Amino acid sequence: MSQSRELSAEAAMNATEARTELFALVKSADNDGVTTLIHKREDRALLAPLDRFPAARKVDAFPSHALSAAQKDFGDLVSRAAQGQPQVLRRSRTPVTVLLPADAASGS
C-alpha cells in the first residue's frame, strides 16, 4: 500500500535531521515537488525542486555539490543558502534540487 502525500507539501526539520534524511528528501523534492524548510540555529533554507528556481539548471551558474559531498557539508550549505547563496544538489552531474534562502522564497 502506498501512503498518500500532498505533492507540494512543505515539511520542516533541523539540519541534523535533514542531513540524515538527505537522499530521501532530495528524492521527494525531485519526484513529488516536496519542499522542506531546514533550520540551523538562526539560518533557514528551503530544499526545493529545481522548478522553484529554474536558473539552478544552468551549469556553473551556482555552486553545486554531489549528494554525498553535500551530506558531509550540509550544515555549511544550509548557512550559505540562508545567506543568499543558492546551493545546487546533484546526482552525479545532474542537478536535482536546490537550497534557497527561506526568507526570500517565502516572500515570493
Side-chain angles (χ1 to χ4, degrees):
M1 288 185 141
S2 66
Q3 296 178 352
S4 64
R5 179 181 250 202
E6 199 167 314
L7 292 183
S8 60
E10 189 171 308
M13 61 179 48
N14 70 41
T16 301
E17 294 168 330
R19 173 181 309 166
T20 302
E21 299 294 325
L22 185 60
F23 286 84
L25 293 173
V26 166
K27 184 176 181 180
S28 291
D30 189 31
N31 293 342
D32 302 327
V34 175
T35 299
T36 304
L37 175 65
I38 300 165
H39 52 91
K40 177 188 165 201
R41 296 182 203 101
E42 299 85 37
D43 294 336
R44 296 174 355 119
L46 289 176
L47 178 66
L50 290 178
D51 293 347
R52 290 276 302 259
F53 192 63
R57 294 181 193 275
K58 286 181 140 183
V59 177
D60 297 330
F62 299 95
S64 71
H65 313 272
L67 284 175
S68 55
Q71 191 171 35
K72 185 181 77 158
D73 299 326
F74 195 68
D76 291 337
L77 300 182
V78 168
S79 294
R80 289 183 207 156
Q83 294 167 7
Q85 302 170 29
Q87 304 292 311
V88 177
L89 305 182
R90 52 186 165 74
R91 278 191 199 102
S92 188
R93 295 177 185 255
T94 305
V96 287
T97 56
V98 61
L99 281 166
L100 297 170
D103 297 329
S106 63
S108 59

